[in-house]
Amino acid sequence: AEPTPLDCNADSEKREELIVEILIPISNEITNSSTPAGKAANFVIDSTMNPCEDTQAIINQFALATLYYSTGGDQWINNEGWLDYDNACDWHGVGCEGEKVIVLNMGTF
């Protein structure tokens, strides 16, 4: 019999561990929830993304959420879609090629 694929969402602790493994090389501040990176990490952990399948989406959301928290995104003129759990490529001003963020238009924020 073939091995059963790992369901990263079945066990919330394992899922969180896998997300941390993805994010820790990007920022060692993810464990401090008072920093923008820590807030962004918590945002990603609270999402429904599967760390086994959505690595690029996790990185996108983490990077953009860190930007949002570090620049007072809740005060932006247009923060439409930001911190929405949907695809970060749909957030206002974000442009993607495939799943990778390639453009960030901050001129209208």
Side-chain angles (χ1 to χ4, degrees), residues 7-19 45:
D7 181 0
C8 297
N9 289 321
D11 178 342
S12 62
E13 276 187 40
K14 179 64 175 171
R15 185 181 163 282
E16 183 173 339
E17 286 175 24
L18 291 168
I19 290 173
I45 289 167

Side-chain angles (χ1 to χ4, degrees), residues 12-78:
S12 62
E13 276 187 40
K14 179 64 175 171
R15 185 181 163 282
E16 183 173 339
E17 286 175 24
L18 291 168
I19 290 173
V20 168
E21 284 179 25
I22 293 167
L23 298 180
I24 201 75
I26 299 169
S27 174
N28 60 5
E29 292 187 6
I30 66 169
T31 57
N32 182 347
S33 62
S34 67
T35 66
K39 292 175 184 177
N42 287 336
F43 168 74
V44 172
I45 289 167
D46 290 342
S47 75
T48 59
M49 288 185 285
N50 183 331
C52 290
E53 299 173 3
D54 300 327
T55 302
Q56 187 62 53
I58 287 169
I59 292 169
N60 287 348
Q61 281 198 347
F62 172 72
L64 293 170
T66 300
L67 174 70
Y68 181 90
Y69 286 120
S70 66
T71 61
D74 55 339
Q75 301 299 313
W76 293 347
I77 293 169
N78 190 344

